[in-house]
Structure formats: structure tokens, C-alpha cells
Amino acid sequence: MAKDTATISANWRAFVANGVVILASFQYGVDFGLIGGLQAMVGFLQVFGFRAPKTPSGWNLTTERQQLISSLMTLGAFIASGSAGFLAIKLGRKQCLWLGCILCFISNIIMMTVDTIGPLYAGRFINGLANGCFMTFSQLYIQESSPAKYRGLFLTAFSFGTSFGTLIGTIVDWATAKKHGKVAYLIPLGIIYVVPVIMSVALFFIPESPRWLLLQGRREEGVKSLARLRPDGWDVEDEAAVIVAAIEREKELSSGVGIRDVFANPIDRRRTIIAVCGVTSQAATGSMFIIGKPVFFPNQAIPLQYIPRYFSELTHRIAYKAYFFTMAKVSDPFGMSCVLSTIGLLALITNSLIVVKYGRRRVCLMSGLITCGILMLIIAVTYDKHPNEKSTGRVLVALSSLYMFSYNGMVAPYAWLVGGEIPSQRLRSYTFGLAAAIGFFMAWLTQFTAPYFINPASLNWGPRYGYIWFPSAVLTAVWVFWFLPEVKGRRLEEVDEMFEARLPARKFRKYVCVGPLGNIDEKAAVISTEEEVRARENEKATVVMVESVK
């Protein structure tokens, strides 16, 4: 009886390799959660902030420092992602992940040893470079090494890693924030070393991305890499031949490999636009407004007299979900923040159970965008009609929970999945790097501008901010309907073939691919037929000439 090579047990090596790489997303989440809480710790504020007796904690951080601590990390991630194509010329996916680990070590050493703000800024920027490497090259590895059937599952696990890491980072902050002095924030920073150390060692035991190796012309190494990732008995030579044929066919259409080439011809330009729009669809839902970074005052519930001032602080700290809990007069805002994060994790777990069989990109992403948009509208209308009421706050908490479930279950994993599946192999590093960089920029833009909309000292919209995100999400859903192709279950080489055929988005799902080798055979058959026709014509001409001579 033939062994089924499509089962999880048969593909265990691919699961292990991608599991190691998914640690990068967990590291990013841990960093996101830890750093978000540091800015509310008294020990941290005593070193980098100033006394503010009227605040709940007695200390504060200037707006400029708050924004730079967040923005410099995002800037570093933007630069690292945007440089992915250039790094990939010489460095493989594993080497770039090792580079991320090294940068993470350097940034953490700086942040743990300094007591002035300048070096701390440098540490945050270097940390951003590390996170950019983690988020970009880990996803490139997953896209290029996964069996087509499980690509969506691995990307869902990637999103789970980010969310779970954020929750763990938040819990660690909460546990250490009660400590006095610098130790309160040095312990969380020390924990940042754990994942990079594990990943640095584990990367030695997994193969390099086979598609990257084959793209570099290292066929023998690429075949060996495929053999280590595929089930026993899998025809790795055939898969390698298909990948190489697809790469050669791409080079026939356009041989250039550079950042300008992602827009050079209509096919690559279309794929780049789709990848960028796919990744940035996350920002179109206003997700950073609901999700944000957890900030809390650990030793007490927020007294009512501090609510206006606390709201002003947290709008500058990008912790918008805490606002809803404060409005609801919840006695334990941190606990409710963890509940909201747990709901997001449950959504990702639910998605992991259905993504392999039912995870159609167009349907899930479109449904998620519309659902998130409607919830944003309800949040805005509810607050607009009944502002500052206790019952309104409770409703907003419930709506935020539904939003988190919808966003994590139907938007976040599929947005990243689209960004990695759509680019061509020849330009994947450049295209996905560009998409990730713009994704980081849009997330930063949302974070940076939100306080001006919701802060009482500015426009004072509060949750009315949702009025902006409803049309944004709906318009993005319309774009998905018209322009996003369905590539569920397709090998990356099949995606290449469909784009080269210039199919409209609605026809991708039912298109029957012949494969690059099939195209080569077809071309050879055409050439052979043409040669036969010419031979017959020459033979006829010769006969005519002979008869005329007679």
C-alpha cells in the first residue's frame, strides 16, 4: 500500500523546520509586549523620565521620548524589510535570521547597560533592524519551504506566535513592574535573549530555503534541502526541475533582479501591487487602534479622578484598548487586556483548524475586512450616541473582543499569506520586503496619528475614530473582490504560470495549470511541428524543381 505523503506525520520534517523559523514571530511578539509595558514602569521612568506627582505613578515620560522609543523601532524594521532584496543577493534566509539574532543581542546589551536616552534610542533602532529581519526572512523561508497544502497553516502559526509572544511579554511586564528600581525593566529585557539563543542553535539543524538555493544556481544543494523537507519517497528531483524551469521561464520574460524590476513589466508590477496591498490591508482595518501596546499601572485600579489624565497619557503610549476598559470602569484593566489577547489567540487556533481545507484567501480576507469595518462603525455610533456612560464602556469592551476575534481569525494571517504567495521567485525578496516595509510604515502611521484624533487636547473624537476605519475596511474588501486572486493549495510555480497567463483575479481558482515543464514540452512540440512543415515544404519545392527541369 502506497504511503500517503500529504499527511502531517509524513511532512514532519517540514513542520519542525518551519516551527524553528516561527520562533522569530514569537520573538517579535515578546519584544512588542515587553517594550510596550516598560514605558509605564516606575523603575524605567526613574531612569529615563521625570517626576510628575499628579500622575497615578508619580512619574512620566515626555511625549517626544515616548514616540521616539516606538518610532525608532518601526524605522529600523522598515529599513531591514526594505533591504531584504539586497541582503538576499548573498545571504540565505537562515543567514539573515542569524543576523537578526546578532542584532537583537547587540540592541539588548545596549538597552540593559545605558542610563541616558541617546544610547537607548540607538538600541531601539538596532532592535528594529533585528525585528525587520525576523519578520521578513522568517516568512520568506516559510513561503519557500512549505508544502502547498500546509502553507496557510504555517502562516497562521506565524501569526499565533506574534500574538502569543505579545501576551507573554505583557504578563512578564506585569509580574516585574511591582519591583523597585532598574530591576523592574532589566528582567523583561533579559528575557528577550531567550528566543534568539534557542533559534541561533536550532537554525544549524534545519536546511536552507530550497527555492533560494535553486535561484542561486546551487542545484545540488537545493535538491538536498528539498529531500530534508519532504516526505520519504518524494520525487525531489522532479520538484527541483519544476522550480528551476519556472525560474528560467521568468528570466525569459525579464532577466533583471533589482528593486526597480518589481515595477518594470506589467506582470511583476501587478504582483507587487497585490502583495503590498495585501499586507497593508491589516492597517486598513484600524487594527492598531484596537490592539495597540498594553500599558498598565500595576499597583492599583485607576481612580476615577485620574481618568482624564490617564487617558491623555495612554493616548501617547499607543495603548488604546486600555481606554475602553477605563471607560467601562473595570477594576483590573490588565486582566481584561489579557482576556482580549486570549480571544485573539483563540481566533488563530480556530483558523488553524480550518485553513488547510477551507482557507480561501479571498473569502476569508474579504469577510474579515467587512466584519472589522462594521464593528468599527458600531463602536463609533455607540459612543457617539451614549458617550461616557458605564454601559457604553461595557459594550465597547464586548465589541473590541469581537473585533479581535475577527481580525486575528480572518485578516492578519491571510494578509501576510497573500504578501508572500503572490511575488515571483526571482523577485520574492524584493517584493515581499517592500510589502513588509510598507506594512510597518502604515502601522507606524496609524499609531503616530491616532492620538491627534482621540486625545481630548486635540480633536477629541475618542472611539468616534471608528468612523474613519469603516469606509477604509469596506473599500479594501472591494479591492479584494476585484483584484486579489485565489491561490489556495497552489504551488508557487503554479502561481507564476497563472500570472504569466494574465488571468483576471476571478479565474485563478478554477484554472488548470500545465506547469513550466509542460510549457517547455508544448513549446518543443510546436517547434518540432514547425520544422516538419518546413521540411515538407522544402521537399515539395524540390519535387517541383526536378519536374520543371525534366
Side-chain angles (χ1 to χ4, degrees):
M1 184 176 178
K3 184 178 179 181
D4 187 358
T5 58
T7 62
I8 291 176
S9 59
N11 288 276
W12 69 270
R13 289 192 290 260
F15 274 78
V16 171
N18 283 282
V20 169
V21 172
I22 286 169
L23 287 174
S25 70
F26 180 76
Q27 169 63 20
Y28 176 77
V30 168
D31 179 83
F32 192 85
L34 289 174
I35 300 301
L38 293 188
Q39 297 181 56
M41 290 184 181
V42 173
F44 182 85
L45 296 174
Q46 287 174 339
V47 178
F48 300 104
F50 62 91
R51 283 192 175 277
K54 294 183 179 181
T55 63
S57 63
W59 293 84
N60 205 347
L61 199 63
T62 65
T63 301
E64 178 186 344
R65 291 188 176 187
Q66 290 165 358
Q67 291 182 326
L68 283 173
I69 287 172
S70 295
S71 298
L72 285 170
M73 191 283 287
T74 307
L75 175 63
F78 173 85
I79 292 173
S81 297
S83 303
F86 302 101
L87 290 173
I89 295 173
K90 295 294 183 182
L91 301 179
R93 310 313 188 204
K94 285 174 54 178
Q95 291 170 309
C96 289
L97 288 173
W98 269 316
L99 176 62
C101 293
I102 293 170
L103 290 171
C104 186
F105 294 144
I106 293 172
S107 69
N108 220 36
I109 290 171
I110 293 172
M111 290 190 290
M112 292 184 71
T113 55
V114 303
D115 55 10
T116 56
I117 196 65
L120 181 69
Y121 289 156
R124 288 300 290 154
F125 175 73
I126 296 171
N127 182 254
L129 294 174
N131 283 327
C133 288
F134 285 143
M135 293 297 285
T136 303
F137 292 101
S138 57
Q139 292 186 79
L140 285 171
Y141 185 96
I142 292 170
Q143 297 282 2
E144 294 172 352
S145 65
S146 304
K149 179 179 179 179
Y150 295 113
R151 195 165 59 238
L153 178 60
F154 291 147
L155 264 296
T156 298
F158 182 90
S159 296
F160 180 88
T162 303
S163 297
F164 187 58
T166 301
L167 177 61
I168 295 300
T170 305
I171 293 172
V172 170
D173 274 354
W174 173 77
T176 63
K178 301 173 186 178
K179 297 183 179 295
H180 299 286
K182 295 175 67 173
V183 69
Y185 71 89
L186 289 179
I187 292 175
L189 287 176
I191 288 174
I192 290 178
Y193 287 114
V194 175
V195 175
V197 168
I198 295 173
M199 191 162 62
S200 296
V201 175
L203 284 171
F204 283 104
F205 299 97
I206 66 172
E208 180 56 86
S209 161
R211 284 183 169 85
W212 182 82
L213 290 170
L214 292 170
L215 181 64
Q216 304 304 310
R218 296 156 63 176
R219 184 185 177 92
E220 184 177 347
E221 294 175 69
V223 171
K224 288 181 180 179
S225 176
L226 281 172
R228 292 178 62 187
L229 291 166
R230 297 296 181 257
D232 294 330
W234 186 267
D235 191 345
V236 292
E237 287 286 353
D238 179 69
E239 183 175 358
V242 170
I243 294 171
V244 171
I247 292 171
E248 293 302 320
R249 184 169 174 80
E250 279 187 45
K251 290 180 179 178
E252 287 179 11
L253 298 173
S254 178
S255 59
V257 180
I259 189 63
R260 294 198 310 182
D261 293 292
V262 300
F263 297 105
N265 65 69
I267 296 175
D268 288 327
R269 184 162 55 246
R270 180 189 180 192
R271 299 177 80 162
T272 300
I273 292 171
I274 292 173
V276 170
C277 291
V279 171
T280 54
S281 63
Q282 299 172 96
T285 64
S287 56
M288 296 309 295
F289 174 57
I290 297 292
I291 298 171
K293 289 187 179 181
V295 176
F296 45 88
F297 294 93
N299 297 320
Q300 56 187 348
I302 307 301
L304 294 180
Q305 67 268 29
Y306 285 135
I307 286 178
R309 191 176 298 113
Y310 172 68
F311 172 59
S312 178
E313 286 186 19
L314 64 85
T315 54
H316 289 297
R317 292 177 184 171
I318 321 302
Y320 311 123
K321 67 183 175 186
Y323 171 57
F324 297 132
F325 303 143
T326 302
M327 278 190 59
K329 298 179 175 61
V330 174
S331 59
D332 186 4
F334 166 74
M336 285 306 299
S337 294
C338 289
V339 168
L340 198 61
S341 297
T342 303
I343 289 172
L345 292 176
L346 290 175
L348 288 165
I349 292 172
T350 302
N351 184 63
S352 70
L353 299 175
I354 65 173
V355 65
V356 172
K357 190 171 183 180
Y358 303 105
R360 288 171 56 189
R361 283 56 166 159
R362 283 165 56 86
V363 173
C364 292
L365 191 53
M366 194 160 40
S367 301
L369 287 164
I370 292 173
T371 303
C372 289
I374 291 173
L375 288 170
M376 277 291 196
L377 179 62
I378 296 173
I379 287 172
V381 171
T382 301
Y383 182 79
D384 203 16
K385 299 299 182 183
H386 306 283
N388 302 320
E389 294 182 11
K390 187 173 182 179
S391 59
T392 299
R394 289 173 176 166
V395 171
L396 295 184
V397 170
L399 291 171
S400 299
S401 300
L402 291 173
Y403 179 96
M404 180 69 83
F405 190 90
S406 302
Y407 175 79
N408 272 23
M410 294 184 286
V411 178
Y414 292 100
W416 284 113
L417 189 57
V418 167
E421 286 179 324
I422 297 300
S424 67
Q425 181 59 43
R426 177 176 56 89
L427 296 171
R428 192 177 310 281
S429 299
Y430 287 97
T431 304
F432 183 73
L434 177 65
I438 294 177
F440 278 119
F441 172 76
M442 294 303 294
W444 168 82
L445 187 63
T446 304
Q447 288 182 326
F448 189 80
T449 58
Y452 299 103
F453 286 94
I454 66 178
N455 197 318
S458 299
L459 294 177
N460 194 24
W461 284 18
R464 297 185 189 90
Y465 192 39
Y467 282 129
I468 289 178
W469 299 113
F470 168 67
S472 171
V474 171
L475 287 174
T476 306
V478 171
W479 174 85
V480 169
F481 178 79
W482 286 109
F483 297 106
L484 181 65
E486 180 58 67
V487 295
K488 175 186 176 295
R490 300 282 194 172
R491 291 199 299 184
L492 298 180
E493 289 69 40
E494 291 180 300
V495 176
D496 291 340
E497 180 182 335
M498 290 187 287
F499 272 104
E500 288 166 13
R502 306 196 181 209
L503 301 174
R506 66 183 182 277
K507 291 187 177 181
F508 270 64
R509 182 167 167 249
K510 296 183 179 180
Y511 184 77
V512 179
C513 293
V514 298
L517 291 178
N519 288 333
I520 291 171
D521 293 340
E522 184 180 328
K523 185 187 291 185
V526 170
I527 293 171
S528 176
T529 302
E530 289 177 350
E531 289 177 348
E532 288 179 8
V533 170
R534 289 196 194 98
R536 289 175 183 174
E537 288 177 351
N538 291 336
E539 186 177 336
K540 288 179 181 179
T542 302
V543 171
V544 170
M545 289 177 62
V546 170
E547 290 179 352
S548 63
V549 170
K550 290 180 179 179

